[in-house]
Structures are given as C-alpha cells and as structure tokens.
Amino acid sequence: MDREAVDTAGLGRLRVEVKQHGHSAVFTPAGELDHHTADLLSEPLGAAMDAGATRLVVDCSQLEFCDSTGLNVLLSARLRAEAEGGAVHLAAMRPTVARVLEITGAEAVFTVHATVDQALQE
C-alpha cells in the first residue's frame, strides 16, 4: 500500500469494534495502530472508562501493526484504568505486536492472555 495515498485521519487503516460484557468492554482494533489512527482506539477506551467499565480487554488478534504512538495509547489507558480501580488486559496478540511490547518492556506492565475468553474470565 502506498502510504502517501492514505488520508491523514487514517480512515480505512484501523477499525475498532467495541462490545460490552458486564463491567468489561472488549475492543477489537483491526489494522494499523499508529500516529494517524491512535485516536480511533484512544477515544472509545476513554469513553468506556467514562461509562464505568472497569476491565478493558484489547483483542489484538486483528491488529497488524503498532508503533510507539499506539503503544502510548495502551499505556495511557492502563494508567487511567488502574487509577480508577480497573485494568487493561491484552489478548490474542500477533507476533509483530507482541514483539513491540517485548522490545519496549511494556509486556511487564500488562496482563496478557492467549484468548479474549481467558481475559474475560480472570
């Protein structure tokens, strides 16, 4: 894909589906989480916390790429969730996204699950 042809809002490069499961909210970002698309995940994460969700589960099974801006979205959500007595859980990470967390050391601050079902049960 020619990145020059992508609009600056990142439309089409990232879709985020949100589902409620009791006091949990599951976010499924599909595509690329980067500088241009970060708000597409950041805004629904914040809205879920505003609405009282205490467990945020990010289903990474369809996340193809995550840069430092995307990682900062996840880290910021984690800090806010923990300050409000909640948590952010990551599930079903693809190897490329898992590698970003490993390289940066961020894997140590998240609870990572093999599946979304496991993240919802713990």
Side-chain angles (χ1 to χ4, degrees):
M1 172 170 36
D2 180 6
R3 291 193 183 268
E4 297 297 321
V6 176
D7 63 35
T8 58
L11 298 176
R13 291 184 39 215
L14 184 72
R15 293 179 323 281
V16 178
E17 180 181 3
V18 181
K19 292 183 180 179
Q20 289 298 127
H21 292 272
H23 292 291
S24 299
V26 178
F27 304 84
T28 306
E32 300 178 4
L33 179 57
D34 61 22
H35 172 74
H36 297 290
T37 62
D39 286 344
L40 297 174
L41 180 58
S42 179
E43 290 172 4
L45 285 167
M49 287 185 272
D50 290 344
T54 57
R55 177 184 294 259
L56 307 178
V57 176
V58 181
D59 174 0
C60 299
S61 64
Q62 297 179 50
L63 190 58
E64 298 168 5
F65 175 80
C66 181
D67 74 357
S68 61
T69 304
L71 181 57
N72 281 330
V73 166
L74 297 172
L75 290 167
S76 294
R78 181 191 70 86
L79 287 174
R80 179 177 170 195
E82 288 181 358
E84 296 176 6
V88 173
H89 298 258
L90 305 180
M93 278 196 290
R94 289 182 170 194
T96 54
V97 176
R99 182 75 175 132
V100 170
L101 270 71
E102 178 186 345
I103 289 170
T104 61
E107 67 183 0
V109 300
F110 287 102
T111 303
V112 180
H113 306 272
T115 68
V116 172
D117 288 340
Q118 289 174 352
L120 289 170
Q121 291 177 3
E122 188 175 290

